Amino acid sequence: MNTKTAFSVIAPAKLNLFLHINARRDDGYHELETLFTFLNFGDTLDFSVNEAPTILITGDTKGIADCDNLIYKAALLLKNHCGISSGVKINLTKRLPMGGGVGGGSSDAATTLLALNKMWNTQLNIDELANLGLQLGADVPVFIRGKSAIAHGIGEQLVDVELEQKWYCVVHPNQHVSTAKIFTHPDLKRDTPKISGDWRTHKLTNDCEPLVKKLCPEVEKTLQWLLKYAPSKMTGTGSCCFVEFASQVQAQDVLDNLPHTWQGFVASSANVSPAHTELAAIFDQ
Ligand SMILES: C[C@](O)(CO)[C@H](O)COP(=O)(O)OP(=O)(O)OC[C@H]1O[C@@H](n2ccc(N)nc2=O)[C@H](O)[C@@H]1O
Ligand SMILES: Nc1ncnc2c1ncn2[C@@H]1O[C@H](COP(=O)(O)OP(=O)(O)OP(=O)(O)O)[C@@H](O)[C@H]1O
């Protein structure tokens, strides 16, 4: 049951509908141009009061130590930033593949910040939460702001866009791709010019795709297999690949035919993050 002391919230997946890398900065991060959308599919985080003043993480933590878990880090960051004495229990049901390019860890962190800001009544505004989130990862701010957007900078400068709702079949080829490994690889293409004018009229690619295909033949195989159905793309630094359709039936057909060695899911896109929609239903009634 959802009450204000015990409630569940989604940590949705994101897709990078394109991802251009424009330059490497002096601090090692990369200047990007990328289009983010959210999916109605993700992890579930259950929040409840902890009588002790500690942050307790349970569930599918898959061997991630508490001190490395982005959920724990997000809760601790907000607790320390706002001088909160309360604790919290957070249970994770993991559905998003780790190292899959669908932003699972970043989304878990963002949902934690958004939910605890309500539960602890810390009243930070979205800009403050996004700035805190950026300390945890370049992808966290878009999940905090919760709007489909084109991102610049390292992914934190966001301009909202309205996209048509689509259905996606997202396939995980059972490969973990390290974001850091791709961004430090000498063969990564890092010189795509910034888009001038309307992005919709440009050739939109994922600059990580050629390198990830080379390093990870299973990703190449997945992209090839998906081509039978529709133009296939990779999200983020991989390993997940996806195809886009107007209808759920078309996306489900791909999933139904998926080779057993891979996993996948079907989801629709949303211009507003489902985490925001769910939190509003719990707290803003
Ligand atoms: C590739 C994307 O998934 C696209 O949405 C994100 O930019 C990655 O976001 P993220 O996983 O939250 O990234 P972080 O945890 O901040 O960084 C992971 C690794 O990627 C590198 N990184 C990340 C973002 C960026 N714009 N340039 C980078 O070079 C960082 O140096 C780091 O080694
Ligand atoms: N709650 C969490 N969920 C998933 N990964 C976590 C979490 N906390 C820490 N991590 C670490 O973060 C790493 C990246 O996980 P994540 O699932 O966000 O990758 P990703 O989808 O490729 O991300 P991105 O698209 O943002 O690069 C994992 O390999 C794991 O070690």
Side-chain angles (χ1 to χ4, degrees), residues 14 68-70 94 98-103 105-106 108 139 176 179:
K14 57 88 175 163
D68 295 327
N69 195 317
L70 286 160
K94 195 84 196 145
M98 290 189 199
V102 290
S106 309
D108 287 350
D139 266 352
H176 180 289
T179 303

Side-chain angles (χ1 to χ4, degrees), residues 14 16 28-30 32 36 106 137-139 154 179-180 183 237:
K14 57 88 175 163
N16 299 93
Y29 268 78
H30 288 75
L32 308 175
F36 283 109
S106 309
D139 266 352
I154 64 165
T179 303
F183 275 116
T237 52

Side-chain angles (χ1 to χ4, degrees), residues 14-16 18-19 21 23-25 27-32 34 36 70 101-103 105-106 134-142 151-156 178-184 188 208 235-238:
K14 57 88 175 163
L15 290 179
N16 299 93
F18 71 85
L19 173 55
I21 303 175
R24 179 159 35 185
R25 307 188 330 180
D27 62 3
Y29 268 78
H30 288 75
E31 175 72 30
L32 308 175
T34 184
F36 283 109
L70 286 160
V102 290
S106 309
L134 186 57
Q135 296 178 33
L136 301 169
D139 266 352
V140 180
V142 72
H152 297 268
I154 64 165
E156 86 293 12
S178 155
T179 303
K181 182 175 168 188
I182 299 306
F183 275 116
T184 50
L188 179 66
C208 301
T235 176
T237 52

Side-chain angles (χ1 to χ4, degrees), residues 69-148:
N69 195 317
L70 286 160
I71 300 171
Y72 181 84
K73 285 183 171 182
L76 189 65
L77 191 61
L78 188 68
K79 188 171 154 68
N80 289 342
H81 183 80
C82 298
I84 296 297
S85 54
S86 314
V88 64
K89 293 181 189 170
I90 308 171
N91 186 71
L92 170 67
T93 306
K94 195 84 196 145
R95 296 192 187 87
L96 300 177
M98 290 189 199
V102 290
S106 309
S107 188
D108 287 350
T111 287
T112 301
L113 289 172
L114 289 164
L116 293 181
N117 191 42
K118 296 285 188 185
M119 189 176 171
W120 288 340
N121 197 24
T122 39
Q123 297 187 16
L124 297 189
N125 64 35
I126 289 292
D127 285 345
E128 291 168 320
L129 279 180
N131 281 336
L132 270 190
L134 186 57
Q135 296 178 33
L136 301 169
D139 266 352
V140 180
V142 72
F143 288 107
I144 295 283
R145 294 190 188 280
K147 302 266 179 62
S148 302

Side-chain angles (χ1 to χ4, degrees), residues 177-198:
V177 176
S178 155
T179 303
K181 182 175 168 188
I182 299 306
F183 275 116
T184 50
H185 201 285
D187 296 347
L188 179 66
K189 177 169 165 43
R190 314 177 147 87
D191 61 355
T192 299
K194 283 278 184 194
I195 293 172
S196 59
D198 184 356

